[in-house]
Amino acid sequence: MAMNISKIGGAAQPPADPTLSKSDARKDTASPVGPAVKPAEVKLSPLSEKLKMLASEYAASTAFDSKKVDALKDAIANGTFKVNAEVVADKMIAEAGELNGKKS
C-alpha cells in the first residue's frame, strides 16, 4: 500500500478509499475512538445501598444549630460563658465507661 506524505517530515497518511463518497469518508474518520459506546450499568450491592442510606442519615443528624453556635461565640467573646465543671466531669466519666465497654 502506497503512503502519501503531506510535507517533509510529516506524518504518513493512508490513501483515501476510492469507494467512499466524501460524506462517507467524513463519517468514517469523525471519531478517532470509534463508534459511541453505551456506558456500563453499575449496580450496588445491598450492603452498599445500606451504607449509602446510613451515611445520608448521619449527615442529616449531625447538622448544627448556627444560632446556638453564634450565641456561644458571643458568650465567649463577652466573657459571660460559664463552664459547669460537674456536667463536664459526668460526661467524661460516662464516655470513659463507654470506651471500656460499660454502659452508664
Side-chain angles (χ1 to χ4, degrees):
M1 170 157 62
M3 299 291 244
N4 295 333
I5 298 179
S6 59
K7 61 183 179 179
I8 297 175
Q13 300 290 327
D17 186 347
T19 61
L20 295 176
S21 69
K22 287 185 180 183
S23 62
D24 289 337
R26 272 186 263 124
K27 287 178 192 171
D28 188 43
T29 60
S31 174
V33 180
V37 178
K38 183 179 176 186
E41 185 176 319
V42 177
K43 198 169 206 176
L44 298 177
S45 69
L47 179 59
S48 296
E49 291 287 347
K50 179 73 173 174
L51 288 172
K52 184 178 171 185
M53 182 191 69
L54 291 172
S56 64
E57 288 175 5
Y58 177 76
S61 70
T62 58
F64 66 93
D65 183 358
S66 62
K67 290 180 183 177
K68 187 174 182 179
V69 171
D70 290 339
L72 287 170
K73 283 182 182 179
D74 291 341
I76 292 169
N78 297 333
T80 58
F81 182 74
K82 302 277 190 239
V83 176
N84 187 336
E86 191 173 317
V87 171
V88 173
D90 288 343
K91 288 187 178 185
M92 288 176 70
I93 291 168
E95 188 166 330
E98 288 176 18
L99 291 173
N100 288 325
K102 300 175 186 174
K103 293 277 184 172
S104 56

